[in-house]
Amino acid sequence: MLIKTGNSGFTHSIPSDITPQGVYQQRRELMKLLAGGAAGAALASWAGREALAQGAGKPGKLAALPGAKSAVAGAVTMEKVTDYKDASTYNNFYEFGTDKGDPAKNAHTLVTKPWTVAVEGLVKQPRTYAIEDLIKLSAQEERIYRLRCVEGWSMVIPWVGYSLADLIKKVEPLGNAKYVEFITQADPKTMPFVGSRVLDWPYVEALRMDEAMNPLTLLTFGMYGEVLPNQSGAPVRLVVPWKYGFKSGKSIVKIRFTDKEPRTAWNKAAANEYGFYSNVNPAVDHPRWSQATERRIGEDGLFAKKRKTLMFNGYEAQVGQLYAGMDLKKFF
Ligand code: MTE
């Protein structure tokens, strides 16, 4: 993000690419030890870089989380899948820094176990889920979605998760629940940029109830057949494929049902630039730049042509009716 102030065609690694399990385990133990002591801080960051150099960021490092082929309409694009390396080293996760490479370098300090997600607010069945139970709540599917950032870049990623609607149905929203708010982790001890003035923490995002219930809205636990790497929002994030990437909150700890439109993190930071809806819309420019085209990460050659951005990021057939009759220039 920029603010004023400042048939799945993807390749899985061949066995020789995969970090041997023993080495990986040793590294994990080392990281655990280092994470404890103050003297370890510098070494921990060295170990993080070392892990990266040795192939963290390649399939094979993390626990497998395969998903069955999805039957949801629009859930699988035939476009070329972005390389895992690009998807896991070019990130926005401001809790770990504002440069695209910062999350991959810094997010090893995120503690994802134990992890709970509280579901609260206007529901009949409020409950705090241990992440292990949340993962098991419904069958994992693989969805190959485009993710387009408001900054003008995009990727194609095989996400693993299930429709958020499956969880929503379980907790039984009350009749007056109109919005769903996603509150993410904000722990200054493990997230070095929480406390920086760039955003009002925690990072909060929200959807209207019908958007949250749309089967394309994915509660996401993995990508490329594995659990999410920390920098991608482990252990659970949202992916809303027809909205700009920032609507897809990472490392969610609370899901709250409300009757009023929640204030979201980017809207609070710059309301004239980041509206509540934030649907991908090539016809509505960001106040400071066009949204008509995009650069696909991995197609960076000198002569690479920009792609035309599609209405609702190409998911118009599935979600267009949610906005029938709305002035999308006003509700951007
Ligand atoms: N979630 C949290 N908690 N913090 C963030 O800074 N950045 C958002 C979104 N979710 C962000 C976040 C933005 S701006 C984008 S574009 C996407 O995550 C990027 O997701 P990716 O790194 O998987 O591509």
Side-chain angles (χ1 to χ4, degrees):
M1 300 288 286
L2 300 170
I3 50 166
K4 276 193 191 130
T5 49
N7 86 339
S8 74
F10 62 92
T11 35
H12 266 297
S13 56
I14 52 171
S16 61
D17 271 350
I18 296 171
T19 312
Q21 198 57 34
V23 173
Y24 169 55
Q25 204 51 44
Q26 276 170 19
R27 192 184 300 146
R28 294 276 302 205
E29 293 308 319
L30 177 69
M31 300 283 285
K32 254 197 245 159
L33 277 173
L34 290 175
L43 272 170
S45 105
W46 170 84
R49 278 200 300 277
E50 173 75 356
L52 212 70
Q54 287 194 12
K58 275 188 188 172
K61 175 186 172 284
L62 298 165
L65 187 67
K69 201 164 169 249
S70 177
V72 170
V76 176
T77 169
M78 293 316 225
E79 286 176 71
K80 184 176 176 292
V81 163
T82 302
D83 280 352
Y84 184 92
K85 191 154 192 299
D86 287 328
S88 59
T89 56
Y90 191 91
N91 301 101
N92 276 331
F93 199 170
Y94 273 29
E95 290 83 337
F96 295 100
T98 52
D99 285 346
K100 296 286 176 274
D102 285 346
K105 279 189 217 132
N106 299 333
H108 57 90
T109 55
L110 176 69
V111 178
T112 57
K113 253 185 196 165
W115 192 277
T116 56
V117 177
V119 183
E120 59 179 46
L122 303 174
V123 285
K124 274 194 206 133
Q125 315 277 354
R127 179 176 159 183
T128 297
Y129 288 89
I131 189 71
E132 294 78 10
D133 296 329
L134 197 61
I135 287 183
K136 285 188 288 195
L137 184 130
S138 192
Q140 301 292 330
E141 291 190 350
E142 182 172 85
R143 308 272 183 92
I144 304 181
Y145 285 162
R146 287 174 287 275
L147 183 134
R148 189 199 187 281
C149 182
V150 72
E151 295 162 342
W153 50 267
S154 64
M155 300 194 199
V156 177
I157 295 179
W159 303 103
V160 184
Y162 54 76
S163 294
L164 177 68
D166 295 353
L167 170 64
I168 296 181
K169 285 178 207 149
K170 271 256 157 38
V171 298
E172 299 182 59
L174 300 174
N176 56 343
K178 298 274 184 307
Y179 296 90
V180 190
E181 193 176 9
F182 304 91
I183 296 127
T184 72
Q185 175 79 310
D187 174 17
K189 289 204 284 296
T190 54
M191 301 172 123
F193 277 71
V194 166
S196 73
R197 290 167 61 179
V198 69
L199 283 175
D200 182 11
W201 310 100
Y203 192 101
V204 171
E205 259 310 332
L207 295 172
R208 217 169 58 187
M209 184 66 104
D210 56 349
E211 299 176 323
M213 284 297 288
N214 186 281
L216 285 178
T217 301
L218 193 70
L219 194 62
T220 307
F221 303 93
M223 60 188 221
Y224 300 80
E226 299 180 350
V227 298
L228 290 169
N230 288 357
Q231 62 268 32
S232 299
V236 57
R237 68 175 292 175
L238 210 64
V239 180
V240 192
W242 70 95
K243 291 180 179 277
Y244 292 118
F246 65 93
K247 296 299 286 182
S248 298
K250 295 175 164 182
S251 304
I252 294 169
V253 292
K254 229 176 243 176
I255 299 178
R256 186 186 292 145
F257 291 75
T258 68
D259 54 357
K260 289 188 194 64
E261 188 181 285
R263 289 299 308 278
T264 58
W266 280 105
N267 184 258
K268 278 195 221 165
N272 62 327
E273 303 196 3
Y274 307 110
F276 177 80
Y277 284 92
S278 302
N279 290 318
V280 174
N281 188 342
V284 177
D285 290 341
H286 181 279
R288 289 181 287 135
W289 60 82
S290 161
Q291 293 291 6
T293 60
E294 67 199 58
R295 181 171 67 90
R296 181 63 51 83
I297 299 299
E299 293 179 349
D300 288 332
L302 206 50
F303 303 107
K305 273 201 8 219
K306 285 201 168 186
R307 292 169 177 255
K308 280 204 159 111
T309 288
L310 301 174
M311 188 63 201
F312 296 116
N313 206 17
Y315 300 94
E316 187 166 15
Q318 289 78 33
V319 300
Q321 75 283 1
L322 296 175
Y323 310 102
M326 278 179 72
D327 177 353
L328 297 181
K329 281 207 160 71
K330 188 168 167 210
F331 298 102
F332 63 97

